[in-house]
Amino acid sequence: MPPKAPKTTKDRPIRVRMAPSPTGPLHVGTARTALFNWLFARNQGGAFILRIEDTDKVRSEKKYEDEILAGLAWLGLDWDEGPLPMVGSRGTHGPYRQSERTELYKKYLQELLDKHEAYYCYCTKEELDAQRDAMSSQGLPPKYSGHCRNITAPPAGRKPQVIRFKVPETAVEFKDLIRGKVVFDAALLGDQVIAKDLDTPLYNFAVVVDDELMEISHVIRGEDHLANTPKQILVQRALGFHEPVYAHIPLILNADRSKMSKRFTDTALMQYREKGYLPDALINFLALLGWHPKDDREVLGKNQLIKEFDLARVQASPAVFNEEKLNWLNREHMKTLSDKEIAKMVLPLLAAENLHADEAFVEKWVSVERSRANNLRELVDLGKFFFVLPHYEPSLLVWKESTPEEAKKVLGELTEELKKIDQKNFTKEALAGILADLTSERKRGVVLWPLRVALSGLRASPDPLDIMDVLGKEESLRRVTAAADTL
Ligand code: GLU
């Protein structure tokens, strides 16, 4: 009898899920998977579900779950439902946790056992190794031998080791929205372990039960899960479940096309928050890792992404993580914010460095320093000297075509001129006038170089006029006088 056509989710409401395992820091790739699911759900008016896959009791940790929740909150990827009876807006409930759903998995494990679609396996690790060796010496592919498949009663004195699913020797075919038709030969798989015991299901089983019970219509996940899909489809069929639509999104590679790894790239999402990237810029960047809009626009806000997102334009070939592009996008997104908005965002970073100033100062500081920074962290690093003058060598005050004596003289003249302007007339125009006078008979570098160093302690900085404008009369004068005194 030909196999029945699988039940599909094609005509069901759109429901997608993000199913991270809390076993390590939240990976950028996981954040991208979450984003694609979220964009798809929001574009389609469907539901986005968060499910923490913590069946691996040894490796799952609460701190990683917290990080997932904090990461999604930072990116603004809100989820729609959850088991906790917290009424209210999105993202205030849930998430689902597999560790709280053991009874459900147990029921379906028992069903498979009762239907003889699954069985207890008594083989120990040593026996499995021996079976595998024997098979490979006969040139057979390494897979479970099927030794316990037809055991009807527990062998005397032996303990069940795991529960295995009877994998039929058949071709499994499915249509992936991104990769097209995918065919796997399940004969190569061997009977798969789906649980350690009735209370301890493994990933490939729990995921199938959850996707069915949560009425997931589309499974959008990383390409690294492609090989799991036929295993999951076979379990779905054995339980008479629906087969969701699959979309496996491409791998992310480093710029040199090597596999993305911590050695070359910051792979933890939260590192980008610490570095002061804007969440909307990161969202924009992640969205373009494997997807692009119809036209060649690249700078897109969240609402535009929601409007434009379409799984049909997700590419099958790997996406390349390009940090320069991230920086560019972040600068573009920073441009959409006012000085005040950036000031507000950068305040916690300043506080963390023990740098304090009033709001008006911070805002003005942002206005002169912002264009030089790729992110808020850089803004703080580049512009720290406004808050505290770094230590610098007095020799730095001397321009290459000048002498210490001349630098001292120039700084002395500057001190006298600055003193003459009162604070309320301490404007860029007035300061420009002073500089014009002082440079009329000298090369500009003779004056501007020591002034810049005196104000910033640095070789490169914003325009000295801008610095003085931010620092104000008193502090500018203090720095210039102090510099003159060191020579
Ligand atoms: N828990 C799996 C992971 O973190 C994802 C499973 C899935 O999306 O089906 O990689």
Side-chain angles (χ1 to χ4, degrees):
M1 201 173 64
K4 275 197 298 191
K7 290 195 268 182
T8 69
T9 54
K10 286 199 183 74
D11 303 320
R12 292 180 133 191
I14 301 285
R15 288 171 62 80
V16 293
R17 86 298 196 275
M18 140 84 170
S21 303
T23 51
L26 174 55
H27 196 279
V28 166
T30 310
R32 191 219 19 190
T33 302
L35 175 65
F36 280 26
N37 275 283
W38 183 86
L39 287 174
F40 180 65
R42 296 290 171 258
N43 171 281
Q44 299 279 316
F48 172 65
I49 288 162
L50 175 62
R51 179 170 85 217
I52 303 290
E53 300 211 319
D54 54 356
T55 49
D56 185 337
K57 294 188 188 114
V58 181
R59 292 176 55 228
S60 296
E61 287 188 47
K62 175 78 171 62
K63 68 171 181 196
Y64 295 133
E65 181 186 310
D66 292 345
E67 188 175 317
I68 292 166
L69 302 189
L72 293 182
W74 178 57
L75 293 176
L77 305 184
D78 49 351
W79 61 92
D80 291 315
E81 61 185 66
L84 292 182
M86 284 170 73
V87 269
S89 58
R90 279 175 183 153
T92 54
H93 36 62
Y96 292 100
R97 279 186 202 89
Q98 289 191 323
S99 56
E100 292 163 0
R101 299 166 61 81
T102 316
E103 288 310 309
L104 296 168
Y105 310 128
K106 193 171 183 169
K107 173 176 161 226
Y108 289 104
L109 278 171
Q110 191 60 54
E111 183 178 328
L112 285 182
L113 288 166
D114 293 344
K115 294 205 295 201
H116 303 290
E117 299 273 9
Y119 59 90
Y120 284 105
C121 176
Y122 297 87
C123 299
T124 61
K125 178 167 182 311
E126 294 70 35
E127 287 166 337
L128 290 174
D129 289 345
Q131 289 168 21
R132 211 169 291 123
D133 289 348
M135 288 175 75
S136 66
S137 65
Q138 292 171 51
L140 298 169
K143 63 175 188 179
Y144 179 60
S145 66
H147 183 267
C148 298
R149 204 177 222 241
N150 298 314
I151 292 179
T152 45
R158 302 203 53 164
K159 277 208 331 249
Q161 302 291 327
V162 293
I163 300 174
R164 283 186 191 273
F165 174 67
K166 285 187 186 168
V167 174
E169 300 210 334
T170 175
V172 182
E173 187 181 312
F174 62 95
K175 187 173 161 284
D176 187 280
L177 281 187
I178 295 159
R179 329 194 77 77
K181 184 168 118 176
V182 182
V183 188
F184 272 93
D185 182 3
L188 299 171
L189 294 175
D191 290 348
Q192 298 287 306
V193 179
I194 52 171
K196 290 190 183 147
D197 54 49
L198 280 180
D199 293 313
T200 321
L202 298 187
Y203 160 68
N204 270 324
F205 182 74
V207 81
V208 169
V209 173
D210 283 340
D211 286 345
E212 174 72 8
L213 297 184
M214 295 176 185
E215 300 185 359
I216 298 302
S217 63
H218 293 66
V219 169
I220 304 168
R221 61 183 172 195
E223 190 193 307
D224 47 329
H225 282 290
L226 196 59
N228 285 322
T229 303
K231 300 175 188 171
Q232 295 173 11
I233 287 178
L234 290 170
V235 176
Q236 284 157 12
R237 291 184 189 166
L239 286 165
F241 287 173
H242 293 80
E243 182 178 314
V245 178
Y246 286 97
H248 287 90
I249 61 181
L251 292 177
I252 306 176
L253 303 180
N254 289 314
D256 67 355
R257 302 192 78 80
S258 60
K259 194 164 172 268
M260 197 176 169
S261 79
K262 276 191 243 165
R263 268 185 48 208
F264 303 106
T265 324
D266 286 336
T267 54
L269 179 79
M270 292 319 221
Q271 286 171 306
Y272 295 91
R273 182 174 77 169
E274 279 153 33
K275 285 199 221 162
Y277 285 95
L278 304 178
D280 279 358
L282 207 69
I283 292 243
N284 190 167
F285 175 70
L286 292 175
L288 297 178
L289 284 177
W291 174 84
H292 61 89
K294 276 199 208 90
D295 48 30
D296 52 12
R297 268 173 315 150
E298 295 209 279
V299 184
L300 296 150
K302 225 184 222 165
N303 289 334
Q304 285 166 303
L305 289 170
I306 291 176
K307 204 162 144 241
E308 308 264 332
F309 191 78
D310 180 357
L311 284 172
R313 275 197 312 279
V314 176
Q315 72 199 41
S317 55
V320 174
F321 189 100
N322 179 339
E323 202 174 333
E324 272 168 38
K325 182 153 176 186
L326 171 61
N327 286 337
W328 171 70
L329 282 172
N330 203 56
R331 289 197 305 272
E332 291 298 312
H333 280 265
M334 277 172 75
K335 285 182 195 162
T336 67
L337 300 176
S338 65
D339 295 339
K340 204 182 183 76
E341 285 166 315
I342 294 187
K344 213 167 142 220
M345 296 174 101
V346 81
L347 276 178
L349 278 80
L350 290 170
E353 301 255 345
N354 224 353
L355 302 174
H356 301 281
D358 62 34
E359 250 173 66
F361 180 91
V362 175
E363 225 176 286
K364 210 161 180 196
W365 165 71
V366 165
S367 74
V368 305
E369 194 65 70
R370 58 182 287 170
S371 64
R372 299 178 350 119
N374 284 317
N375 53 51
L376 301 180
R377 169 89 273 142
E378 271 186 32
L379 181 61
V380 173
D381 289 345
L382 291 169
K384 236 185 225 171
F385 71 86
F386 281 88
F387 299 81
V388 263
L389 184 64
H391 171 77
Y392 61 89
E393 287 303 322
S395 59
L396 192 63
L397 290 162
V398 184
W399 190 45
K400 60 179 191 304
E401 292 179 27
S402 180
T403 61
E405 294 69 32
E406 192 177 24
K408 190 175 175 74
K409 185 161 181 293
V410 163
L411 288 168
E413 286 174 30
L414 271 164
T415 305
E416 289 316 309
E417 293 304 320
L418 293 179
K419 274 186 191 158
K420 285 186 205 155
I421 325 177
D422 57 20
Q423 171 62 45
K424 73 172 184 321
N425 293 327
F426 200 80
T427 59
K428 270 167 57 174
E429 293 68 40
L431 295 166
I434 295 178
L435 293 188
D437 288 347
L438 289 177
T439 51
S440 63
E441 314 243 302
R442 297 177 172 112
K443 284 194 177 165
R444 286 175 66 79
V446 173
V447 178
L448 291 178
W449 179 271
L451 176 60
R452 174 192 300 282
V453 175
L455 293 168
S456 69
L458 303 171
R459 289 167 199 278
S461 72
D463 186 328
L465 286 180
D466 285 326
I467 303 177
M468 290 192 284
D469 190 32
V470 176
L471 292 180
K473 175 176 172 179
E474 205 186 311
E475 180 62 15
S476 301
L477 196 53
R478 195 181 69 76
R479 291 188 183 192
V480 174
T481 318
D485 289 346
T486 64
L487 286 169

